[in-house]
Amino acid sequence: MNRETKAVNSSAYSLNLEQIIDTLDVQFWEIYEQPLIVVEMLLLEGIWQSKTYSEIALENHYSCQYLTNVAAPKLFKRLSQLVNYRITKKSCFSIVTKYILENTLYRCRSRSSEKEMNERSSDTLYDSYFTFGRGIDFDRDLFLKDAVLFAQLN
């Protein structure tokens, strides 16, 4: 097990229910072009609180059979497709939490790599632009705006 996996599995990392639902809502929209629906959010909340389908149904005015036979299987199918691993009510909390933590770690790495690449590119453009003597009082921000505008036009 490498250091990154240990960090993701560490109990020091925790997500609250709101973070889970917000992240899943965005992911579902990106993949399925449909956000989490209310009953799915209620199921996730109940699962996070270790409630039975009967308790979730009673508290939220749903039929237990509907939650058990329709809503939960649909949610678990979509979650399973998202994380590429079979999700059940029992495994939902741990697998989804792990997926979101790993996905967040990956996105943070991607963004930092992209930012470094953009900074290197802008430094190169700046050096090239300045080398060709485009002005003594060179304004880097103005140059970058010009470069973006030029890229959009071409």
Side-chain angles (χ1 to χ4, degrees):
M1 188 182 298
N2 63 25
R3 182 190 301 157
E4 294 161 11
T5 305
K6 287 180 188 175
V8 167
N9 292 334
S10 168
S11 62
Y13 291 90
S14 64
L15 297 170
N16 65 38
L17 181 62
E18 187 178 330
Q19 291 169 313
I20 298 283
I21 288 176
D22 288 346
T23 304
L24 289 175
D25 196 41
V26 169
Q27 295 274 319
F28 275 26
W29 184 256
E30 288 176 356
I31 293 170
Y32 306 114
E33 295 182 357
Q34 179 186 28
L36 281 169
I37 58 176
V38 173
V39 70
E40 292 172 328
M41 291 182 209
L42 295 172
L43 280 166
L44 287 169
E45 181 179 355
I47 291 168
W48 255 246
Q49 297 169 355
S50 301
K51 293 182 179 177
T52 65
Y53 289 132
S54 297
E55 292 171 323
I56 299 168
L58 185 62
E59 291 174 5
N60 298 288
H61 310 290
Y62 280 94
S63 136
C64 184
Q65 284 75 23
Y66 172 72
L67 293 183
T68 305
N69 299 321
V70 179
K74 182 180 174 187
L75 172 64
F76 297 146
K77 181 179 180 182
R78 291 185 353 145
L79 286 171
S80 296
Q81 290 171 337
L82 177 69
V83 303
N84 203 23
Y85 193 84
R86 185 171 177 266
I87 302 280
T88 63
K89 183 179 181 220
K90 190 173 185 175
S91 68
C92 185
F93 177 83
S94 61
I95 293 173
V96 169
T97 301
K98 182 179 179 189
Y99 168 80
I100 289 174
L101 288 171
E102 288 174 344
N103 194 40
T104 302
L105 180 65
Y106 172 77
R107 285 182 182 227
C108 286
R109 281 215 178 106
S110 295
R111 285 186 188 135
S112 67
S113 296
E114 188 176 303
K115 183 180 176 186
E116 288 171 11
M117 208 158 60
N118 287 341
E119 287 173 355
R120 282 195 301 265
S121 297
S122 67
D123 287 342
T124 302
L125 285 170
Y126 171 79
D127 292 342
S128 299
Y129 191 80
F130 193 73
T131 301
F132 289 109
R134 292 280 182 146
I136 298 170
D137 296 326
F138 183 75
D139 182 350
R140 183 183 180 130
D141 290 335
L142 184 60
F143 164 73
L144 291 176
K145 287 177 186 174
D146 288 345
V148 169
L149 180 62
F150 179 76
Q152 290 172 344
L153 294 174
N154 291 319

